[in-house]
């Protein structure tokens, strides 16, 4: 029997120092936490797989069967002033197309714990998004959440919809889940009112004016997605939208409620861990960039000392010192008029400035030579002492003194 020895190719890992390997591990941890948090939020009824392969729910219009539902948009706004945003939003009219009311939603939770979680999540959305809105404004927000639970583009649980994307600062669907609002303790009276609205909505109460709306925003911001949706209604300070085409009609809302709600506390812990890992990664990247900048600076200094630039090409001297030696300057000499102003400000006369001072500012050593210390210049003449009025010399009569009368 013939045996052939197989030689496996050798694999060499890239050469990196310890800090870079640690930064890579931190990045991998961040990605893992994001994936874990996303799967936890979406739960067993996540729409990702259906979105990739298309859906075929009972009652879905034939035009939508097999198609992927639209993807939820990230949290991005146009950079406009609040007063400009109000004007931009007001310029878009509310659609005159039919806006039928949504079907009643009845919570069919698998356990009392899941029921309480659903109520708490919907209460949080109503409180943090519309605590100071009138009753209709709070009912409209609750209706959007429940509409999303039924739409195949979103998770099919109340908490999954409310906290979708909270692990990403620009990916959260409801701003309060990722902007730090949850750190504030709710006011008891407002929370109680929001919970009453949530319980009514989960028991089948429908707010008809918003229809099948799945989006909304306040009138002092302009999201990038607003122009691609149908403006369905305005309630209080919020503007409500629905998907265009068949995905915004009643037959598209065929998602079945999962009956199981994810643990919100677990979601918050995962999101906090992802945020901490992201901060650590940012700090590690900043340290690596600072180290690289320092290395580049040292390299430049060494190159200048050797008379070459970063590409190894010889540097051209731009000036000479007082011993006529070439000097490599890293700045452009100041303009003549600017130098004259500086010299006149720093000294009594620009002509009296030392040559070394002038050369330091301009790189020009052609100024007038100064006389060495201890010698007199040819142009200098002794100045006779000034006699003060009323002061007489020794031996001088008072009448002969300057100014005497």
């Amino acid at each position: 029997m013939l045996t052939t020895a197989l030689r496996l190719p050798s694999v060499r890992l890239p050469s990196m120092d310890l800090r870079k390997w640690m930064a890579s591990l931190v990045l991998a941890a961040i990605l893992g936490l994001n994936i874990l948090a996303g799967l936890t939020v979406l739960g067993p009824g996540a729409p990702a797989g259906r979105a990739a392969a298309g859906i075929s729910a009972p009652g879905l219009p034939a035009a939508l069967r097999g198609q992927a539902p639209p993807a939820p948009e990230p949290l991005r706004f146009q950079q406009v002033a609040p007063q400009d945003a109000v004007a931009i939003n007001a310029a878009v009219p509310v659609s005159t197309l039919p806006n039928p009311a949504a079907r009643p939603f009845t919570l069919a939770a698998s356990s009392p714990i899941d029921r309480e979680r659903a109520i708490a999540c919907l209460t949080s959305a109503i409180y943090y998004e519309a605590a100071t809105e009138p009753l209709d404004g709070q009912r409209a927000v609750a209706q959007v959440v429940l509409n999303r639970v039924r739409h195949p583009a979103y998770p099919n649980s109340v908490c999954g919809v409310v906290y979708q994307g909270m692990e990403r600062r620009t990916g959260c669907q409801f701003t309060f889940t990722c902007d730090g609002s949850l750190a504030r303790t709710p006011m008891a009276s407002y929370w109680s009112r929001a919970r009453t609205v949530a319980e009514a909505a989960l028991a089948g109460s429908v707010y008809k004016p918003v229809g099948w709306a799945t989006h909304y925003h306040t009138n002092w911001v302009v999201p990038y997605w607003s122009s691609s949706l149908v403006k369905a209604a305005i309630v209080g300070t919020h503007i409500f939208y629905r998907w265009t085409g068949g995905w915004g009609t009643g037959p598209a809302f065929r998602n079945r409620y999962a009956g199981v709600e994810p643990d919100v506390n677990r979601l918050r812990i995962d999101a906090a861990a992802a945020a901490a890992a992201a901060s650590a990664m940012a700090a590690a990247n900043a340290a690596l960039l600072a180290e690289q900048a320092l290395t580049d600076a040292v390299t430049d200094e060494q190159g200048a000392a050797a008379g070459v630039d970063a590409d190894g090409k010889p540097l051209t001297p731009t000036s000479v010192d007082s011993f006529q030696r070439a000097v490599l300057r890293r700045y452009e000499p100041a303009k003549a008029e600017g130098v004259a102003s500086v010299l006149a400000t720093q000294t009594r006369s620009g002509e009296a400035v030392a040559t070394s001072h002038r050369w330091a500012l301009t790189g020009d050593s052609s100024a007038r030579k100064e006389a060495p210390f201890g010698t007199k210049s040819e142009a200098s003449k002794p100045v006779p002492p000034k006699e003060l009025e009323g002061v007489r010399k020794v031996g001088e009569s008072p009448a002969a003194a300057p100014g005497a009368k």
Side-chain angles (χ1 to χ4, degrees):
M1 181 171 62
L2 181 63
T3 302
T4 303
L6 299 177
R7 183 182 297 275
L8 297 177
S10 59
V11 178
R12 296 186 62 184
L13 295 176
S15 177
M16 291 192 296
D17 59 28
L18 180 60
R19 280 171 295 185
K20 293 182 178 179
W21 276 112
M22 292 179 65
S24 300
L25 292 176
V26 171
L27 179 59
I30 293 174
L31 295 176
L33 287 172
N34 285 337
I35 294 173
L36 176 62
L39 292 176
T40 307
V41 171
L42 297 178
R50 295 192 301 275
I55 61 173
S56 182
L60 192 69
L64 301 181
R65 294 176 185 174
Q67 294 185 13
E73 298 82 359
L75 186 65
R76 295 176 58 203
F77 301 97
Q78 297 184 29
Q79 298 298 321
V80 296
Q83 60 273 19
D84 295 333
V86 171
I88 293 173
N89 292 323
V92 180
V94 175
S95 174
T96 57
L97 296 174
N99 187 30
R103 297 184 300 273
F105 183 95
T106 302
L107 181 64
S110 300
S111 68
I113 294 178
D114 292 308
R115 174 181 175 78
E116 183 57 33
R117 286 177 178 174
I119 295 174
C121 287
L122 187 55
T123 302
S124 296
I126 297 170
Y127 176 86
Y128 289 105
E129 295 285 308
T132 58
E133 288 288 301
L135 180 61
D136 284 348
Q138 295 190 347
R139 294 182 63 195
V141 170
Q143 190 64 56
V144 166
V145 174
L146 298 184
N147 287 349
R148 286 192 173 196
V149 173
R150 286 173 159 172
H151 199 280
Y154 301 96
N156 56 355
S157 67
V158 178
C159 293
V161 165
V162 172
Y163 289 93
Q164 184 181 16
M166 68 171 295
E167 72 280 1
R168 302 185 304 274
R169 183 168 297 277
T170 58
C172 56
Q173 293 296 301
F174 292 87
T175 55
F176 77 93
T177 65
C178 61
D179 66 358
S181 296
L182 291 171
R184 300 196 302 267
T185 303
M187 296 178 63
S189 59
Y190 285 95
W191 181 267
S192 177
R193 187 174 76 144
R195 183 180 175 92
T196 300
V197 174
E199 290 177 339
L202 293 172
S205 176
V206 176
Y207 186 69
K208 297 180 180 180
V210 298
W212 289 107
T214 50
H215 298 68
Y216 67 87
H217 65 83
T218 55
N219 61 0
W220 57 80
V221 298
V222 181
Y224 280 99
W225 47 257
S226 60
S227 60
S228 62
L229 303 179
V230 178
K231 188 174 182 178
I234 301 176
V235 183
T237 61
H238 287 119
I239 305 173
F240 294 82
Y241 302 81
R242 66 173 181 268
W243 293 111
T244 59
W247 291 114
T249 60
F253 291 76
R254 294 292 179 178
N255 231 12
R256 293 196 177 199
Y257 173 60
V260 179
E261 297 288 344
D263 184 1
V264 176
N265 292 326
R266 182 71 257 173
L267 300 182
R268 293 179 181 178
I269 293 174
D270 292 342
S279 298
M281 184 62 183
N285 285 337
L288 290 175
L289 292 175
E291 180 183 3
Q292 186 62 43
L294 179 61
T295 301
D296 293 343
V298 171
T299 302
D300 291 343
E301 291 288 347
Q302 294 173 346
V308 296
D309 60 13
D311 297 328
K313 298 179 181 179
L315 291 173
T316 303
T318 58
S319 184
V320 294
D321 61 10
S322 57
F323 296 97
Q324 302 302 309
R325 295 177 302 189
V327 176
L328 298 176
R329 295 189 177 277
R330 297 200 173 193
Y331 58 88
E332 293 295 330
K335 295 183 178 180
E337 57 272 17
V339 171
S341 175
V342 172
L343 297 178
T345 302
Q346 293 181 346
T347 62
R348 292 184 179 181
S349 172
E351 293 297 329
V353 176
T355 302
S356 59
H357 189 186
R358 184 182 300 277
W359 175 84
L361 291 175
T362 66
D364 180 15
S365 59
S366 61
R368 176 177 58 84
K369 301 290 185 180
E370 291 189 348
F373 288 111
T375 61
K376 295 183 179 181
S377 173
E378 296 180 357
S380 62
K381 295 181 179 180
V383 179
K386 181 177 181 181
E387 296 182 0
L388 299 178
E389 185 175 353
V391 178
R392 62 179 179 173
K393 297 178 181 179
V394 178
E396 186 179 31
S397 63
K405 296 181 180 178

